[in-house]
């Protein structure tokens, strides 16, 4: 039973390019959370999704950032026109259902913007 | 004010020492996690608690629901325990998790 899979593990982009980060939740999990961790800082909530629905995107910047979790395939966090301040580790976590307190993290995707 | 507060922020210990990391939270919760993150590494859930106490090897986690407080204890600490330990809670309403800022532990040989 594979855990939460994130790819790419490392991504380098130049300013102005687009970054796409993927997250495949654990089998049977329909809830996905994205968190950002800036260097030397804690985890910050970005967005919470269920299949085909964004439930809470209150932590996601209104511009340049978007997320989706389609019926088929992984959840994707997309950052358009990246800037140096977007350099961070982006973690995905999944949970099996709304009542569960369980939360399983991926290894993270580390974005570096040159 | 953060919903989850951890102390201390940084902790240095000699190998073999008993270590305690504290977590206080201000919201109603259905579960509390203790997470471990090694430098540059992923995040691993050590414990999920909703009441009482759990033990895994040299690690012990306790929670007092009435006082909204949890502790993580490490007995006979070892340099490989050096990591950031993060307390996270799941609210009892809604589906949101809240995270402490972490405790950076360094165990010196």
């Amino acid at each position: 039973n594979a855990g939460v899979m994130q790819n790419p593990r490392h991504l380098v982009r130049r300013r102005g390019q687009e970054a796409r980060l993927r997250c495949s939740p654990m089998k049977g999990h329909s809830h996905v959370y994205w968190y950002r961790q800036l260097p030397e800082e804690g985890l910050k909530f970005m967005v919470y999704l269920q299949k085909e629905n964004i439930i809470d995107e209150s932590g996601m910047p209104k511009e340049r950032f978007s997320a989706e979790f389609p019926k088929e395939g992984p959840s994707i966090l997309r950052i358009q026109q990246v800037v140096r301040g977007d350099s961070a580790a982006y973690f995905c976590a999944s949970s099996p259902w709304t009542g569960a307190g369980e939360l399983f993290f991926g290894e993270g995707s580390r974005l570096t913007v040159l | 004010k953060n919903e989850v507060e951890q102390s201390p922020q940084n902790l240095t210990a000699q190998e073999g020492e008993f270590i305690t990391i504290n977590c206080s939270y201000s919201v109603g919760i259905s579960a509390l996690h203790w997470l471990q993150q090694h430098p540059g590494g992923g995040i691993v859930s050590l414990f999920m608690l909703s009441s009482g106490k759990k033990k895994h090897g040299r690690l012990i986690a306790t929670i007092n629901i009435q006082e909204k407080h949890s502790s993580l204890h490490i007995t006979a600490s070892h340099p490989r325990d050096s990591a950031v330990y993060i307390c996270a809670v799941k609210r009892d309403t809604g589906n949101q998790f809240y995270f402490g800022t972490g405790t950076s532990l360094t165990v010196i040989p």
Side-chain angles (χ1 to χ4, degrees):
Chain A
N1 183 18
V4 178
M5 304 299 292
Q6 287 190 248
N7 69 83
R9 293 287 306 278
H10 299 275
L11 182 63
V12 178
R13 285 287 179 265
R14 296 191 180 279
R15 280 179 297 171
Q17 291 185 318
E18 178 180 287
R20 281 190 184 223
L21 310 177
R22 294 173 192 79
C23 170
S24 295
M26 286 185 71
K27 188 177 179 181
H29 288 195
S30 57
H31 301 262
V32 165
Y33 301 81
W34 284 95
Y35 298 94
R36 179 163 65 176
Q37 187 179 45
L38 293 169
E40 307 301 320
E41 293 189 16
L43 289 163
K44 300 293 184 190
F45 168 75
M46 297 185 74
V47 61
Y48 162 48
L49 309 105
Q50 293 179 29
K51 285 281 188 182
E52 300 184 274
N53 284 306
I54 297 175
I55 306 302
D56 182 352
E57 56 182 347
S58 59
M60 199 155 67
K62 299 253 184 298
E63 296 181 358
R64 303 189 298 107
F65 286 73
S66 62
E68 63 176 7
F69 189 15
K71 188 177 179 182
E72 301 291 338
S75 174
I76 295 174
L77 179 67
R78 182 182 178 207
I79 311 172
Q80 295 178 288
Q81 299 174 348
V82 296
V83 301
R84 289 222 174 100
D86 297 332
S87 295
Y90 293 83
F91 286 94
C92 168
S94 74
S95 181
W97 57 284
T98 54
E102 295 171 292
L103 193 64
F104 297 86
F105 281 86
E107 291 287 312
S109 291
R110 282 154 180 83
L111 172 65
T112 301
V113 180
L114 301 177
Chain B
K1 185 184 183 302
N2 289 338
E3 290 83 1
V4 180
E5 299 280 353
Q6 281 186 242
S7 63
Q9 271 193 300
N10 297 285
L11 182 56
T12 300
Q14 292 288 337
E15 184 173 356
E17 284 186 8
F18 180 84
I19 287 161
T20 297
I21 300 170
N22 295 299
C23 173
S24 296
Y25 52 91
S26 58
V27 295
I29 70 168
S30 59
L32 181 144
H33 288 262
W34 280 103
L35 309 170
Q36 181 192 56
Q37 184 179 25
H38 283 100
I43 297 170
V44 175
S45 179
L46 299 172
F47 295 103
M48 186 179 82
L49 295 161
S50 55
S51 64
K53 177 180 174 179
K54 286 190 176 180
K55 184 176 189 291
H56 182 68
R58 295 180 294 105
L59 303 178
I60 303 166
T62 64
I63 188 168
N64 185 318
I65 297 294
Q66 286 73 31
E67 294 187 4
K68 291 187 163 65
H69 182 269
S70 175
S71 293
L72 176 69
H73 305 286
I74 304 175
T75 61
S77 59
H78 191 275
R80 64 175 175 266
D81 297 326
S82 298
V84 175
Y85 293 84
I86 303 166
C87 174
V89 301
K90 184 179 185 297
R91 287 203 70 159
D92 55 4
T93 55
N95 303 302
Q96 192 50 274
F97 288 83
Y98 295 101
F99 294 82
T101 52
T103 295
S104 179
L105 171 65
T106 302
V107 181
I108 300 170

